């Protein structure tokens, strides 16, 4: 690969990042309906929906790869807005478990629907590439992810 090709690739990556950040800041449809929610909060709702008997701070922390204090911080607005409730399981007075309210179930469902639409957009995009091209794209994205992870550990 020559210098011009590398520069074009770098420019494409920069434009991708800019557009992705713009998209993240724009309305997702969820905030218009229910107030502003972070991705972490939406993923917490999704996990509680998928694992309704296991969702405590430890479980959420492990599955989201965030600290327990980060879970506590993300959960507070969900509790305040009555998207979730917290309770102790019978016989376990130590651990606190989270459960979706009816409003929380609606928001979790909306989040899931938006995920499905996003997946479909990606699948549609994949149709524009052949198998070999997709293999290269996947290899690049995996390596890019590794590089980002390595930088975050420094």
């Amino acid at each position: 690969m020559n210098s011009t090709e590398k520069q074009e690739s770098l420019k494409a990556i920069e434009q991708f990042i800019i557009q992705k950040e713009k998209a993240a800041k724009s309305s997702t449809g969820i905030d218009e309906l229910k107030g502003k929610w972070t991705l972490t909060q939406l993923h917490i709702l999704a996990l509680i929906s998928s694992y309704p008997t296991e969702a405590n701070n430890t479980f959420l922390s492990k599955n989201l790869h965030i600290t327990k204090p980060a879970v506590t911080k993300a959960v507070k607005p969900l509790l305040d807005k009555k998207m979730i409730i917290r309770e102790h399981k019978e016989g376990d007075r130590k651990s606190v478990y989270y459960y979706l309210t009816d409003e929380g179930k609606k928001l979790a469902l909306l989040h899931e629907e938006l995920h499905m639409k996003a997946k479909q957009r990606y699948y549609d995009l994949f149709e524009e590439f052949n198998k070999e091209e997709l293999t290269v794209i996947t290899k690049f994205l995996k390596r890019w992810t590794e590089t980002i992870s390595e930088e975050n550990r420094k």
Side-chain angles (χ1 to χ4, degrees):
M1 177 183 296
N2 66 35
S3 178
T4 302
E5 291 168 331
K6 288 179 182 178
Q7 288 174 347
E8 287 179 26
S9 294
L10 185 58
K11 181 119 178 111
I13 290 170
E14 290 170 347
Q15 288 302 311
F16 170 81
I17 292 169
I18 289 167
Q19 291 304 315
K20 186 68 175 160
E21 287 176 354
K22 282 182 184 178
K25 290 179 184 176
S26 70
S27 171
T28 62
I30 291 174
D31 56 7
E32 291 175 1
L33 295 174
K34 300 291 180 184
K36 296 207 175 205
W37 304 106
T38 67
L39 286 176
T40 298
Q41 290 165 332
L42 295 173
H43 288 126
I44 285 171
L45 292 175
L47 280 170
I48 295 170
S49 179
S50 297
Y51 303 94
T53 62
E54 300 175 48
N56 61 19
N57 274 26
T58 301
F59 175 84
L60 295 171
S61 173
K62 285 180 183 176
N63 283 276
L64 294 171
H65 307 288
I66 60 176
T67 64
K68 289 180 187 177
V71 170
T72 300
K73 182 178 178 181
V75 159
K76 185 175 180 346
L78 294 170
L79 289 165
D80 291 345
K81 297 288 185 177
K82 303 202 181 337
M83 295 293 152
I84 61 174
I85 58 171
R86 65 176 160 207
E87 294 180 355
H88 295 280
K89 282 188 179 178
E90 193 172 318
D92 182 1
R93 301 302 303 160
K94 183 179 177 189
S95 297
V96 173
Y97 291 83
Y98 301 106
Y99 302 93
L100 296 176
T101 63
D102 288 341
E103 285 300 304
K105 289 176 185 176
K106 290 177 190 175
L107 189 55
L109 181 61
L110 180 56
H111 177 243
E112 179 61 26
E113 289 171 2
L114 290 171
H115 262 282
M116 296 307 291
K117 287 178 184 177
K119 277 185 182 179
Q120 188 58 52
R121 284 194 311 267
Y122 288 124
Y123 290 145
D124 293 344
L125 179 62
F126 294 159
E127 292 298 319
E128 297 180 25
F129 301 93
N130 65 39
K131 183 179 177 181
E132 292 79 21
E133 290 169 325
L134 285 174
T135 299
V136 171
I137 291 166
T138 301
K139 180 181 176 182
F140 172 78
L141 291 171
K142 286 180 177 180
R143 184 62 189 108
W144 189 5
T145 301
E146 291 170 7
T147 300
I148 291 168
S149 294
E150 290 165 4
E151 289 173 1
N152 287 336
R153 285 191 287 256
K154 292 180 182 177

